[in-house]
Amino acid sequence: MIIRMPIDIKSLYLNIKNDNLTGHTPTVATPLKQGKSVHEELAQILQLPENIPSESKEKLTMKLLSKSRADVRIVRTYLFEKIAVNGIMIDAGACYCIYIREEIDPKSVHFGRQKVHYPQVLDYEDEEIVISNGRVIKAISKALNDYAFIVQAFEYDTATGVLNFDALIVGENGVPYSKVFLIRRGVGDKFSSVFKEYLDDYDMEIIAIRDRLGYDSVNPENFMDCMNENRQKAISIVTNSLNESGKKEWYELSRYYPYALFDIEVKNKAEKEYLIVRFTSTQICYFNLPISIIRFISAFSSQVKLILVTDINGNPSMHEFTSQDLEHMKKTICSVTYEYQGV
């Protein structure tokens, strides 16, 4: 049985650059219980076995409490030796530690509050165990080719004892924080949603769109709106195809994150496939890819597919390409970046 434990979206991530004046670091904790409110899905962590030798547990608990400024107790501590990310097993040479901490000061407004903690920096070693959350996170990053990622949930396999990190790739290494998260208070969509341009496609697309929708219906002022509508139509065609084929566990990342390196994440158990969707109003099999996506395809060559929808405003047709197919296609360089470094 797989026990899935979702965590706060801003609590565990790596390779995202903080471009803010202050703050904005991973919280590395998710509320489990506060007052009468209980995070039901995360509460499944209570089903997991504690497998720490008693002497090690006592010393580790002292370490976990040593820097606490509030009156707290450690409710449970979990060690995981078998680690995977998106279904890929990794070897970090150390265990990963997750623990539940409860505030016990009856005078505090947070009395009784429990949080699940998974610090990025936690090192402990004795004769029985070796813990290094930092080494595990770095090993996960390496398995994801050091792309920027957010951990969405922990998944524990009760049969194998493997802790799988469900990681969402959100950009290249060093992608700015402001490009990933909306900086605002309150509940709501935490992904930034600005900038999506199709200027490079204008010359190829405008005539075909006008042929289908009418000459007066599309102009430079509303071209972007038309392209965004076509993009959503293409993604709907692809997702409908996924549903018809029985692949119903998918997530449309680019709807919430317009800078995404891919559009749709498809899960087969813990393993993932990344779909990049492109479209054209013409019947020509062509598409533009920025260098960032080309690098992504190279890094995840066995997991990426590009789906091209042609004649999007007429009789749409889907074409599927693998990374190997892309290697053999004719290519045209559309732009070059110049940098002056002095004489």
Side-chain angles (χ1 to χ4, degrees):
M1 182 176 70
I2 304 296
I3 299 176
R4 180 176 172 83
M5 299 160 284
I7 60 177
D8 284 352
I9 199 69
K10 289 187 177 183
S11 67
L12 186 56
Y13 57 83
L14 198 67
N15 302 330
I16 296 175
K17 182 181 179 180
N18 181 19
D19 59 336
N20 305 294
L21 184 60
T22 59
H24 302 98
T25 58
T27 60
V28 293
T30 299
L32 176 62
K33 177 183 178 183
Q34 186 164 358
K36 295 182 179 180
S37 177
V38 177
H39 193 317
E40 296 292 346
E41 291 180 285
L42 185 56
Q44 294 182 96
I45 194 172
L46 298 174
Q47 302 178 36
L48 273 57
E50 287 188 282
N51 55 351
I52 308 175
S54 57
E55 186 174 342
S56 295
K57 182 177 180 179
E58 183 178 346
K59 293 179 181 178
L60 177 59
T61 299
M62 291 177 62
K63 180 179 179 65
L64 297 177
L65 295 175
S66 62
K67 295 183 179 180
S68 177
R69 297 179 180 178
D71 290 336
V72 297
R73 72 183 183 100
I74 304 301
V75 179
R76 292 201 179 190
T77 308
Y78 306 97
L79 294 188
F80 304 94
E81 185 176 1
K82 299 177 182 179
I83 304 292
V85 55
N86 295 347
I88 302 170
M89 294 296 299
I90 64 171
D91 182 11
C95 296
Y96 189 77
C97 178
I98 300 175
Y99 61 92
I100 303 174
R101 196 178 78 166
E102 179 182 10
E103 302 198 31
I104 58 174
D105 182 359
K107 297 179 181 179
S108 171
V109 293
H110 299 305
F111 174 67
R113 182 174 67 177
Q114 293 184 353
K115 284 187 175 183
V116 176
H117 290 259
Y118 29 90
Q120 284 196 9
V121 180
L122 174 59
D123 295 288
Y124 174 85
E125 183 175 352
D126 61 25
E127 295 179 354
E128 300 291 335
I129 58 175
V130 176
I131 298 171
S132 180
N133 282 17
R135 282 164 60 181
V136 171
I137 291 296
K138 287 180 180 179
I140 288 172
S141 177
K142 184 177 180 181
L144 297 176
N145 296 297
D146 290 323
Y147 274 79
F149 65 91
I150 296 171
V151 177
Q152 302 181 105
F154 298 117
E155 296 174 334
Y156 181 75
D157 189 326
T158 57
T160 64
V162 172
L163 181 72
N164 181 63
F165 287 65
D166 182 357
L168 186 67
I169 296 173
V170 294
E172 291 190 286
N173 191 305
V175 61
Y177 182 100
S178 61
K179 209 174 182 182
V180 178
F181 298 110
L182 272 176
I183 305 171
R184 69 186 186 196
R185 297 181 180 273
V187 178
D189 184 4
K190 293 182 179 178
F191 287 106
S192 182
S193 56
V194 292
F195 306 135
K196 191 69 179 179
E197 298 184 357
Y198 299 103
L199 293 178
D200 289 340
D201 297 325
Y202 185 86
D203 292 357
M204 287 287 290
E205 295 297 314
I206 188 65
I207 295 175
I209 293 175
R210 284 176 167 177
D211 283 344
R212 288 293 188 181
L213 304 182
Y215 182 85
D216 296 329
S217 63
V218 185
N219 53 59
E221 284 72 29
N222 67 356
F223 177 75
M224 291 298 187
D225 293 334
C226 180
M227 292 294 281
N228 279 324
E229 290 177 6
N230 283 348
R231 174 179 171 275
Q232 285 304 317
K233 187 184 298 184
I235 289 178
S236 294
I237 290 172
V238 174
T239 54
N240 288 339
S241 176
L242 290 173
N243 289 335
E244 290 173 2
S245 66
K247 295 181 179 179
K248 296 185 178 181
E249 194 170 356
W250 51 264
Y251 175 63
E252 186 189 334
L253 175 64
S254 58
R255 176 183 292 272
Y256 307 99
Y257 181 55
Y259 307 99
L261 297 168
F262 57 93
D263 294 286
I264 302 169
E265 178 187 84
V266 182
K267 289 188 69 175
N268 179 19
K269 296 182 179 179
E271 296 180 4
K272 296 187 177 183
E273 183 179 65
Y274 307 113
L275 304 185
I276 298 169
V277 179
R278 288 295 183 267
F279 60 91
T280 174
S281 294
T282 74
Q283 295 182 4
I284 304 170
C285 284
Y286 93 98
F287 46 87
N288 289 315
L289 295 177
I291 191 62
S292 58
I293 292 182
I294 294 173
R295 283 195 293 257
F296 178 78
I297 293 172
S298 177
F300 295 89
S301 58
S302 63
Q303 297 169 260
V304 172
K305 287 183 181 177
L306 189 143
I307 312 296
L308 174 66
V309 182
T310 55
D311 198 10
I312 188 70
N313 297 120
N315 297 305
S317 178
M318 283 177 50
H319 309 266
E320 183 177 299
F321 302 101
T322 65
S323 62
Q324 290 76 20
D325 294 328
L326 300 185
E327 289 178 3
H328 295 95
M329 285 184 175
K330 178 184 176 181
K331 304 171 183 66
T332 302
I333 299 175
C334 297
S335 65
V336 177
T337 299
Y338 291 85
E339 179 181 355
Y340 177 69
Q341 297 182 334
V343 179

